Amino acid sequence: MSGAVTITPLHGIPEVCLGDDLADLVDGGLRASGLTLADGDVVVVSSKVASKALGLVTDDPDKERVVAAESDGVVAERLSGGRLTRIVTAKAGPVMAAAGVDGSNTGERGGWLLLPHDPDGVCRTLHGELTRRHGVRLGVVLSDTAGRPWRAGQVDFALGAHGLRVLDDLRGAVDADGRDLSVTARALADEIAAAADLVKGKVLGVPVAVVRGLADVVLDEAAEVDRDGARGLVRTGPEDWFALGRVEAVRAALGVTAGSPLAARVGIPPAGPDTRTGAVSRAVRLALADDDDATADVGDDSVTLGADGPYALGRLVARLQAALSCDGLEGDPLAPAADGCSVVVRVRGADVLSRP
């Protein structure tokens, strides 16, 4: 893969409706753009096109309920402007915001578009029909958009793939200086999806692009057996270092699981800055979440905790200290009362907090 790569948008594809054939839509775009598929091309299709053609749309006005139905688990959740946003493990495979449930670019139909639960299967079907019609080796990528940990903005990634290597595993090879490569593995399918989005975009009305110049990535038919597709790029099990957000991990350790009714009662952290008063009150509710007998009196710079004995009080102090850490606050307990049933915990931290 050392030559030029070209990316061509396919214009002339009309608004997609339920029952439309994806291969027909691609062929229509090829004709309108004066392009013929060549050996080694990769066809990148926006997931919205597949969702519309497959009728994956709901009119349920409760987006939170829709997201929950399309999710296998909650990774993180935040409140912003009174709206709840959840990062979830989507039934479609990836970890992403709102399980990919989207109300933009839905056309006159409106509603919420849902992602296909088997995006690799969608690619496999489209790949089979396009190769039958055109008689050339092809790769097919179904692209969607998501944010990334530690990076601002969103990029397109491969939601589904078929007929191409999704990962270029360089482990065991050497770099240009002859040094061993032990961890390098390029996510080829994601790179192709992101590159195609440069000509498709979110507001251009161009749902398909053809990437040319990556013939070495496209598989021969005999090599396509037992390939994982894009789902194989999703980290799971012991390789998943980020199964929960940092705050959600602390809350889960204290018995409050993200996405649960208890998490809502304790209070969902805001996405932006928070006041210390709000953070401390939420931390107290989190600390007391599993103890109906404990008490707490929240002051400006301290919390007075009460329990039915020294052991219960010590446990409560430890829970409060852990809960405060979610917002970068610290709790310093003073000497307990003589009966060991109450203690004042001083709270240290800024008045306006930016979550660490």
Side-chain angles (χ1 to χ4, degrees), residues 40 76 84 89 96 108 124 128-129 146 173 230 239 241 245 263 267 271 281 283 315 317 351 353-354:
L84 176 64
T89 302
M96 60 195 309
E108 294 181 0
R124 187 162 50 248
E129 185 59 23
E239 293 186 353
W241 296 4
S281 297
R315 178 178 179 275
V317 169
D351 289 335
L353 309 174
S354 296

Side-chain angles (χ1 to χ4, degrees), residues 27-52:
D27 280 349
L30 289 168
R31 288 191 298 271
S33 303
L35 187 68
T36 300
L37 291 179
D39 186 80
D41 283 350
V42 180
V43 178
V44 183
V45 181
S46 295
S47 63
K48 278 188 171 63
V49 172
S51 295
K52 291 177 181 179

Side-chain angles (χ1 to χ4, degrees), residues 4 28 70 82 105 144 159 174 206-207 211 229 252-253 278 305 313 321-322 331 333 336 338:
E70 293 296 308
N105 291 324
D144 203 76
L159 178 70
V174 295
V206 179
V211 180
L305 297 174
L313 184 64
Q321 290 174 314

Side-chain angles (χ1 to χ4, degrees), residues 78-168:
R78 297 289 184 272
L79 279 174
S80 179
R83 296 176 58 185
L84 176 64
T85 297
R86 286 191 170 119
I87 308 298
V88 303
T89 302
K91 291 187 181 298
V95 173
M96 60 195 309
V101 175
D102 195 355
S104 64
N105 291 324
T106 58
E108 294 181 0
R109 170 65 176 77
W112 303 107
L113 284 176
L114 314 177
L115 295 179
H117 292 180
D118 183 13
D120 289 327
V122 173
C123 291
R124 187 162 50 248
T125 300
L126 178 57
H127 176 273
E129 185 59 23
L130 289 177
T131 53
R132 184 189 69 79
R133 295 182 184 188
H134 296 272
V136 294
R137 287 186 313 131
L138 295 172
V140 174
V141 169
L142 192 68
S143 67
D144 203 76
T145 307
R148 302 151 298 157
W150 311 302
R151 303 288 290 181
Q154 293 80 39
V155 297
D156 266 29
F157 70 99
L159 178 70
H162 189 73
L164 71 156
R165 286 188 290 129
V166 299
L167 194 70
D168 186 18

Side-chain angles (χ1 to χ4, degrees), residues 13-327:
I13 296 176
E15 177 65 31
V16 180
C17 301
L18 171 64
D20 283 347
D21 186 283
L22 291 180
D24 287 345
L25 294 169
V26 172
D27 280 349
L30 289 168
R31 288 191 298 271
S33 303
L35 187 68
T36 300
L37 291 179
D39 186 80
D41 283 350
V42 180
V43 178
V44 183
V45 181
S46 295
S47 63
K48 278 188 171 63
V49 172
S51 295
K52 291 177 181 179
L54 295 170
L56 301 177
V57 61
T58 178
D59 293 314
D60 188 335
D62 189 337
K63 185 178 181 180
E64 290 183 27
R65 183 166 55 214
V66 176
V67 171
E70 293 296 308
S71 305
D72 283 331
V74 179
V75 174
E77 53 189 356
R78 297 289 184 272
L79 279 174
S80 179
R83 296 176 58 185
L84 176 64
T85 297
R86 286 191 170 119
I87 308 298
V88 303
T89 302
K91 291 187 181 298
V95 173
M96 60 195 309
V101 175
D102 195 355
S104 64
N105 291 324
T106 58
E108 294 181 0
R109 170 65 176 77
W112 303 107
L113 284 176
L114 314 177
L115 295 179
H117 292 180
D118 183 13
D120 289 327
V122 173
C123 291
R124 187 162 50 248
T125 300
L126 178 57
H127 176 273
E129 185 59 23
L130 289 177
T131 53
R132 184 189 69 79
R133 295 182 184 188
H134 296 272
V136 294
R137 287 186 313 131
L138 295 172
V140 174
V141 169
L142 192 68
S143 67
D144 203 76
T145 307
R148 302 151 298 157
W150 311 302
R151 303 288 290 181
Q154 293 80 39
V155 297
D156 266 29
F157 70 99
L159 178 70
H162 189 73
L164 71 156
R165 286 188 290 129
V166 299
L167 194 70
D168 186 18
D169 193 346
L170 299 176
R171 291 172 295 182
V174 295
D175 66 10
D177 297 320
R179 299 186 180 92
D180 291 337
L181 297 173
S182 58
V183 298
T184 303
R186 293 172 57 205
L188 291 174
D190 286 345
E191 291 183 333
I192 292 169
D197 188 55
L198 294 173
V199 300
K200 294 194 293 97
K202 302 296 178 289
V203 297
L204 300 177
V206 179
V208 183
V210 175
V211 180
R212 182 165 292 174
L214 298 176
D216 289 346
V217 172
V218 177
L219 300 171
D220 295 326
E221 185 176 354
E224 293 169 14
V225 179
D226 295 330
R227 292 282 174 171
D228 288 334
R231 192 172 285 266
L233 294 175
V234 180
R235 289 185 185 270
T236 59
E239 293 186 353
D240 184 5
W241 296 4
F242 317 106
L244 288 174
R246 189 191 69 82
V247 171
E248 284 69 26
V250 174
R251 287 161 66 100
L254 296 175
V256 178
T257 304
S260 68
L262 180 56
R265 290 198 298 272
V266 166
I268 306 298
D274 195 8
T275 64
R276 183 166 64 173
T277 300
V280 171
S281 297
R282 191 168 53 252
V284 168
R285 292 193 296 272
L286 179 56
L288 273 62
D290 71 340
D291 192 341
D292 294 333
D293 297 324
T295 62
D297 182 16
V298 182
D300 292 338
D301 298 299
S302 65
V303 178
T304 302
L305 297 174
D308 59 6
Y311 174 82
L313 184 64
R315 178 178 179 275
L316 191 58
V317 169
R319 286 180 60 87
L320 178 61
Q321 290 174 314
L324 288 168
S325 74
C326 290
D327 288 276

